[in-house]
Amino acid sequence: MKENERKYRSGCPVAYTLEALGDRWSLLLVRDLALKGVKTYGELLDGWEGISTNILAQRLKHLEDHGIVSKSRDPENWRSYIYELTDKGRDLAPVLAELILWGGKYDRSDDRITETVDKVTRDRERFEREIRAGDVKKPLSSPSADE
Amino acid sequence: MKENERKYRSGCPVAYTLEALGDRWSLLLVRDLALKGVKTYGELLDGWEGISTNILAQRLKHLEDHGIVSKSRDPENWRSYIYELTDKGRDLAPVLAELILWGGKYDRSDDRITETVDKVTRDRERFEREIRAGDVKKPLSSPSADE
DNA sequence: CTGGATCCCAATAGATACTG
DNA sequence: CAGTATCTATTGGGATCCAG
């Protein structure tokens, strides 16, 4: 099946972007791949708000098809796969930064949010550089402590 | 009904943002309200990629609930409504800019895209300022010529 | 054991027709 | 013009099953 590529010939770059990322999960996956040390299917499965297995597989495939995520064997654990952002995926760093800043500006409901936003605000250059370098461990936002 | 506010307590500003805007239409509507001179239900209906009436109504309500869009009577035409971005909505200008730049970088399939992207790249300050000022007519991207 | 496919079913998105 | 009503299609959750 062809995903949802129907319309969107549009001539608008926003439409193109939303075709690739305009659903409730894709950007959250990109966030986790970019900002947390997360790399495997299993790590992506828990981690946070609870995506189900079929949706995760489907979204990963979708992101792969769009050249945003790459999939390879884990050299240290052959039975596992590694999902990573491609260059194209890492180029989403500024988008992530803006999403964080906007969300942070209007949702101060949680101390962790304040903290994350402050970090991006204070050193946005570094934030984007780290994502692009792809060598982030856990630079920002560690939602590990979920209830 | 309560939309989809179930999860997303998350403590992550990205999740907050995506709860408000993480679907295929919301950001396109924001784009049209921000970048084109579009203000009414009817104008939003056509214009581009073809949203259906119930979805448009639903998304507008959703954006209103999230304080991104405001609705008021058109003083010059009492039988019509005016939809406008609120301050919160206009604060999405940097997000839009990044979506345009990313989309434009990877989709050069259309001359109009190149054109739009070039404009944002060349004078991003002005782009964001105009959106925030709310006095844009048709500053960027005029997809008027759809087939 | 990890990464996924499949099935079932609930909930949401969406097209079309119709209404105040 | 600005929506609702109705109906269909797609998405998504959760459990289970299956392959390497």
Side-chain angles (χ1 to χ4, degrees):
Chain A
M1 48 207 100
K2 261 304 198 175
E3 296 285 337
N4 17 332
E5 312 185 18
R6 334 159 244 206
K7 332 242 168 185
Y8 295 128
R9 333 131 303 160
S10 32
C12 170
V14 177
Y16 172 83
T17 303
L18 292 178
E19 185 194 320
L21 300 162
D23 65 273
R24 258 199 341 288
W25 296 112
S26 294
L27 275 167
L28 288 174
L29 295 176
V30 169
R31 177 201 63 181
D32 274 21
L33 292 169
L35 270 50
K36 297 153 72 178
V38 168
K39 287 189 182 335
T40 68
Y41 186 89
E43 287 170 342
L44 288 165
L45 247 193
D46 29 74
W48 25 266
E49 24 261 329
I51 189 172
S52 48
T53 65
N54 55 350
I55 302 302
L56 177 56
Q58 182 184 308
R59 297 284 77 141
L60 283 173
K61 184 65 169 47
H62 180 80
L63 292 171
E64 231 189 309
D65 290 343
H66 282 268
I68 293 164
V69 160
S70 68
K71 177 184 182 177
S72 57
R73 286 275 174 196
D74 184 343
E76 303 185 355
N77 180 359
W78 59 268
R79 63 182 120 210
S80 192
Y81 291 93
I82 295 276
Y83 292 94
E84 289 171 297
L85 293 179
T86 60
D87 288 344
K88 183 173 176 179
R90 282 192 289 272
D91 275 345
L92 288 166
V95 173
L96 277 179
E98 294 301 347
L99 293 176
I100 288 171
L101 292 175
W102 187 86
K105 177 167 183 181
Y106 291 102
D107 177 20
R108 311 298 291 199
S109 65
D110 188 309
D111 287 345
R112 289 169 302 174
I113 289 180
T114 310
E115 196 186 330
T116 306
V117 173
D118 286 352
K119 280 177 186 164
V120 180
T121 306
R122 248 187 290 112
D123 200 350
R124 170 155 174 178
E125 294 297 323
R126 177 165 172 261
F127 170 81
E128 294 190 13
R129 213 183 317 121
E130 283 187 345
I131 291 180
R132 284 190 213 271
D135 57 9
V136 263
K137 293 301 185 313
K138 273 184 175 296
L140 298 151
S141 105
S142 27
S144 42
D146 48 315
E147 54 194 326
Chain B
M1 52 210 97
K2 260 304 197 176
E3 296 285 339
N4 19 331
E5 311 187 17
R6 339 158 241 207
K7 335 247 164 181
Y8 296 126
R9 331 132 304 163
S10 31
C12 171
V14 177
Y16 172 83
T17 303
L18 291 178
E19 187 196 320
L21 301 162
D23 65 274
R24 253 191 355 282
W25 296 111
S26 294
L27 275 167
L28 288 175
L29 294 177
V30 169
R31 176 200 65 180
D32 275 20
L33 292 169
L35 270 51
K36 296 153 74 178
V38 168
K39 287 189 179 339
T40 68
Y41 187 89
E43 288 170 341
L44 288 165
L45 248 194
D46 28 73
W48 26 266
E49 24 263 328
I51 190 173
S52 48
T53 64
N54 57 346
I55 301 302
L56 176 57
Q58 184 183 306
R59 295 285 74 145
L60 284 172
K61 185 64 168 49
H62 180 80
L63 291 172
E64 230 189 309
D65 289 345
H66 282 268
I68 293 164
V69 161
S70 68
K71 177 183 182 178
S72 56
R73 287 275 173 194
D74 184 343
E76 303 185 355
N77 179 0
W78 61 268
R79 63 182 122 208
S80 192
Y81 291 94
I82 294 276
Y83 292 94
E84 288 170 298
L85 293 180
T86 60
D87 287 344
K88 184 174 176 179
R90 282 192 289 271
D91 275 345
L92 287 166
V95 174
L96 277 180
E98 295 301 347
L99 293 177
I100 288 170
L101 291 175
W102 187 86
K105 178 168 182 180
Y106 291 102
D107 176 19
R108 313 296 292 201
S109 65
D110 190 308
D111 288 343
R112 288 170 301 175
I113 289 179
T114 309
E115 196 186 328
T116 307
V117 173
D118 286 351
K119 281 178 186 163
V120 179
T121 306
R122 247 188 289 111
D123 200 351
R124 171 155 174 178
E125 295 297 323
R126 177 165 171 259
F127 170 81
E128 295 190 13
R129 211 181 321 119
E130 284 188 344
I131 291 179
R132 284 191 214 273
D135 58 8
V136 262
K137 293 302 186 311
K138 274 183 176 295
L140 298 151
S141 106
S142 27
S144 42
D146 49 314
E147 56 194 323

